[in-house]
Amino acid sequence: MGNRPLLFIKAPPAFFIDINSDSTPVLVDVIEEETEQVESIEPVESLEPVTEDAEVRRKKERLKFLSAPFQQKAYQPLQFSLSDGRIIEGIVDRVMQDEVILKSYTGVVYPTKINELVEIKWRGKVF
């Protein structure tokens, strides 16, 4: 083996710099001034953050997984149960922001909202 390193890390080199005690009070003064400015800003309460339901995120992750070309071939037959009672057998063609394009084995395309998707089954078991 010799002098070869055991572990390669793809990152820029890190350097340690000694800081003089003379420069420390200057940095503290700058930090105190910045905190005073931040405290003077009032938050805007009218803006609400967009939070996505955990269940919708989980469904979207599964659908993105199933939309890959290999998974389209490997995970067959898939059954999609919708909230209106329909059952679609096919594959996930595309996943968009809040909609998924389901394609039946006969070639019929069904644009469906992710919220309307109740259950995904593969070989009779919930996926």
Side-chain angles (χ1 to χ4, degrees), residues 54-72:
E55 184 178 336
V56 173
R57 272 188 279 130
R58 205 169 347 115
K59 283 181 188 177
K60 193 181 286 188
E61 288 173 6
R62 287 181 185 151
L63 290 168
K64 284 182 182 178
F65 173 77
L66 292 171
S67 67
F70 177 77
Q71 282 80 355
Q72 287 180 350

Side-chain angles (χ1 to χ4, degrees), residues 80-124:
F80 303 96
S81 301
L82 303 180
S83 60
D84 60 358
R86 290 185 296 162
I87 296 177
I88 300 171
E89 292 185 357
I91 60 171
V92 179
D93 192 36
R94 258 184 309 182
V95 180
M96 293 175 277
Q97 186 67 23
D98 61 342
E99 192 174 60
V100 61
I101 306 295
L102 303 175
K103 192 177 209 181
S104 71
Y105 294 121
T106 59
V108 180
V109 177
Y110 297 96
T112 309
K113 298 280 185 191
I114 293 177
N115 294 337
E116 294 176 5
L117 195 62
V118 177
E119 191 173 64
I120 302 171
K121 287 185 179 180
W122 177 55
R123 294 186 179 176

Side-chain angles (χ1 to χ4, degrees), residues 40 44 85:
S40 65
V44 179

